[in-house]
C-alpha cells in the first residue's frame, strides 16, 4: 500500500513509542527515504527503506498503521491516538496510532535489523509458544531461570518485574538453573507469566516500558505485584519475610525463601 512511496517528513507527537531514535531526530533520519517494501515477521510490521534502514512496528495490542488520503480521512478517534505520522511525497499520510501505546516503533540500521530478527524469541502470549517448546528452550541453559526469562532470545519482551512475579506465582526459586526445571515446572512457569501479563494488560498496569525493561513508570498494576518492591515484607502466600537480593545478574530479585524452594 505504501511500498514505493517516499517520505517527505516525519513527526512524532507521542514519541515515547519510538525506540533507537529520538523523537526530534526522526524527521532527519526519514526525510527523503523511499519505502521499498512492507512486510511482516512474526508480529512485526517492517518498512524497509532504500538506505537499508528499517522502521519496525510492533503494534502489540492497540497499535495499527493507518494510511490517510485526502478523500479517505482517518476517524476522529484514531486521530486522537496518533503517535507517529509520516507525510508521504504523494501527500498521503502514514500514521502509527496506538490507543494504549503498548506498541513500539523502532528505527533499525541495516546492520542491526537481521541480527535483531534472528535473535528474537517468541512472544510470551503467542499461542504458538507451547509449553513443550518453552521447556525445550530452557534445556541448554545453566543460567538462573529468572535471568533466562528476561533473555530476549528466549522470550521477547519480558522485563524484571514480570520475571520476579512469574517465579513467585509458579513457586520456583529464581536462582535455579533453567535446565533444572522439569517440563511440568516449565509449563507452570509459562502459565504464571501469561496470567501476570494478561492481568497487567487488563489493568493497563505497569507501562509497556516496564514490560520491556522494567525501568519505566509504575501504573495501575502495582497493587497486584506480589513480590517486586516488597522485599522485607511478608509473603502473601506463607507469611515469610521476602528476600531482596541483587545476586542474579545485578538486577533486583525478590522472592520467598520458603515457598519458592
Ligand atoms: Zn512464601
Amino acid at each position: 500500500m505504501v511500498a514505493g512511496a517516499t517520505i517527505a517528513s516525519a513527526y512524532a507527537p507521542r514519541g515515547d513509542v519510538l525506540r533507537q531514535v529520538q523523537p526530534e531526530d526522526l524527521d532527519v533520519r526519514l526525510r527523503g527515504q523511499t519505502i521499498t517494501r512492507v512486510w511482516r515477521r512474526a508480529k512485526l510490521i517492517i518498512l524497509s527503506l532504500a538506505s537499508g534502514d528499517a522502521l519496525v512496528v510492533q503494534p502489540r495490542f492497540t497499535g495499527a498503521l493507518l494510511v490517510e488520503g485526502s478523500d479517505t480521512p482517518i476517524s476522529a478517534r484514531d486521530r486522537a491516538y496518533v503517535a507517529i505520522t509520516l507525510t508521504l511525497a504523494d501527500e498521503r499520510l502514514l500514521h502509527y496510532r496506538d490507543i494504549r501505546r503498548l506498541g513500539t516503533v523502532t528505527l533499525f540500521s541495516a546492520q542491526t535489523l537481521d541480527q535483531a530478527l534472528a535473535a528474537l524469541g517468541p512472544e510470551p502470549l503467542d499461542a504458538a509458544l507451547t509449553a513443550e517448546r518453552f521447556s525445550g528452550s530452557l534445556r541448554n541453559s545453566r543460567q538462573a531461570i529468572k535471568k533466562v526469562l528476561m533473555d530476549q532470545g528466549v522470550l521477547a519482551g519480558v522485563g524484571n518485574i514480570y520475571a520476579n512475579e512469574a517465579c513467585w506465582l509458579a513457586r520456583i526459586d529464581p536462582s535455579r538453573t533453567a535446565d533444572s526445571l522439569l517440563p511440568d515446572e516449565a509449563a507452570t512457569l509459562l502459565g504464571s507469566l501469561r496470567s501476570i501479563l494478561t492481568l497487567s494488560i487488563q489493568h493497563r498496569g505497569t507501562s509497556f516500558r516496564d514490560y520491556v525493561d522494567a525501568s519505566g513508570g509504575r501504573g495501575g498494576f502495582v497493587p497486584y505485584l506480589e513480590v517486586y518492591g516488597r522485599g522485607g515484607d511478608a509473603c502473601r502466600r506463607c507469611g515469610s519475610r521476602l528476600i531482596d537480593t541483587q545476586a542474579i545478574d545485578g538486577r533486583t530479585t525478590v522472592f520467598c525463601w520458603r515457598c519458592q524452594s
Side-chain angles (χ1 to χ4, degrees), residues 124 129 131 134-135 138 144-150 154-155 158 162-174 176-178 181-197 260:
L129 176 64
F134 177 62
S135 178
L138 304 181
I145 182 60
K146 192 200 129 203
K147 185 179 175 187
V148 173
L149 284 179
M150 295 165 61
V154 175
L155 290 174
V158 177
Y162 295 94
N164 272 295
E165 294 296 310
C167 288
W168 182 86
L169 190 58
R171 299 176 183 250
I172 287 171
D173 179 341
R176 274 179 64 184
T177 61
L181 266 67
L182 300 171
D184 63 327
E185 290 177 309
T188 301
L189 183 57
L190 180 61
S192 298
L193 183 62
R194 285 173 164 166
S195 306
I196 290 158
L197 294 176
Q260 288 173 264

Side-chain angles (χ1 to χ4, degrees), residues 226-234 241-245 253-255:
E226 301 286 3
V227 286
Y228 190 86
R230 297 191 64 244
D233 292 354
R241 183 181 290 262
L242 296 172
I243 308 280
D244 191 333
T245 172
T253 297
V254 186
F255 70 102

Side-chain angles (χ1 to χ4, degrees), residues 17 19 41-46 55-65 96 98 101-106 108 120-124 152 156-157 208 211-212:
V17 300
R19 298 289 182 276
R41 162 75 197 274
K43 292 182 175 177
L44 305 174
I45 303 162
I46 301 166
L55 207 53
V56 177
V57 177
Q58 186 160 27
R60 298 276 173 186
F61 304 96
T62 58
L65 285 172
Y96 175 68
D98 195 337
R101 294 216 298 290
L102 298 165
T104 56
V105 178
T106 306
F108 280 102
L120 204 59
E123 294 280 332
Q152 301 300 296
F208 176 70
Y211 182 58
V212 171

Side-chain angles (χ1 to χ4, degrees), residues 168 235-240 242 256 258-260:
W168 182 86
C235 171
R236 290 189 178 134
R237 203 159 43 204
C238 76
S240 301
L242 296 172
C256 176
R258 183 180 287 166
C259 48
Q260 288 173 264

Side-chain angles (χ1 to χ4, degrees), residues 208-221:
F208 176 70
R209 199 172 290 277
D210 287 328
Y211 182 58
V212 171
D213 62 20
S215 68
R218 294 161 59 188
F221 188 57

